[in-house]
Amino acid sequence: MKKSGCFFTSIILITIIIGIIFYIGKNYGPQLWEAGKEKLFSFAEKDIKEKLDNLKSNEYKDSLIVLVNSQLKYMKDLNFEEVKNDSFHFFEKIEEFINDKVIDSDELAKLTEIYKKYER
């Protein structure tokens, strides 16, 4: 008898908890996304700026920094799906290009092309 009572109590509690989660997600989802989005962007911005600071100085580094700053500003106005589709590719290419600690004109041209492709 006691086992069936615990089972029914746990089913009822799980149902209530799932209902609360769906209610919060439906009614407060955009506010939760905005709060999480700010933290995610601040972390990503800090990380990419640290990596850019480690690049060797040349005439293309400043252009890359301007390009990255404009992409970060552009990202703040997008929803998660747009960020995932547009900006992840851009930042993956940056990671690929700055592994050697130098940015050259070909790499900057490719990044500029990607930026213009996703810019609307």
Side-chain angles (χ1 to χ4, degrees):
M1 280 290 212
K2 196 167 194 164
K3 289 182 183 180
S4 64
C6 291
F7 175 74
F8 289 122
T9 303
S10 62
I11 294 295
I12 291 171
L13 285 176
I14 289 173
T15 305
I16 291 172
I17 291 170
I18 290 173
I20 290 171
I21 290 171
F22 277 112
Y23 175 79
I24 290 172
K26 184 177 178 182
N27 293 325
Y28 301 106
Q31 291 92 349
L32 292 173
W33 163 245
E34 288 301 318
K37 181 176 149 181
E38 290 299 321
K39 291 188 185 279
L40 177 67
F41 284 150
S42 66
F43 175 73
E45 186 175 7
K46 181 182 173 189
D47 183 50
I48 196 71
K49 287 187 178 186
E50 284 177 5
K51 290 180 180 180
L52 291 176
D53 287 341
N54 292 332
L55 281 176
K56 293 181 183 173
S57 293
N58 63 13
E59 64 266 17
Y60 304 111
K61 181 179 176 180
D62 292 335
S63 300
L64 178 64
I65 290 172
V66 168
L67 191 65
V68 167
N69 286 336
S70 61
Q71 179 68 20
L72 287 170
K73 189 186 330 180
Y74 168 70
M75 282 174 47
K76 289 181 182 181
D77 298 331
L78 301 176
N79 64 29
F80 181 73
E81 284 300 316
E82 292 170 331
V83 168
K84 187 174 83 170
N85 293 334
D86 297 352
S87 298
F88 283 177
H89 180 65
F90 179 79
F91 286 108
E92 285 173 350
K93 283 295 182 185
I94 287 177
E95 289 282 333
E96 180 182 320
F97 291 152
I98 64 174
N99 279 337
D100 61 353
K101 304 285 187 219
V102 177
I103 189 79
D104 62 16
S105 63
D106 292 336
E107 294 170 340
L108 186 63
K110 288 178 186 175
L111 287 172
T112 304
E113 185 179 309
I114 292 169
Y115 175 77
K116 287 181 181 178
K117 177 182 173 185
Y118 292 122
E119 185 181 42
R120 295 173 221 209

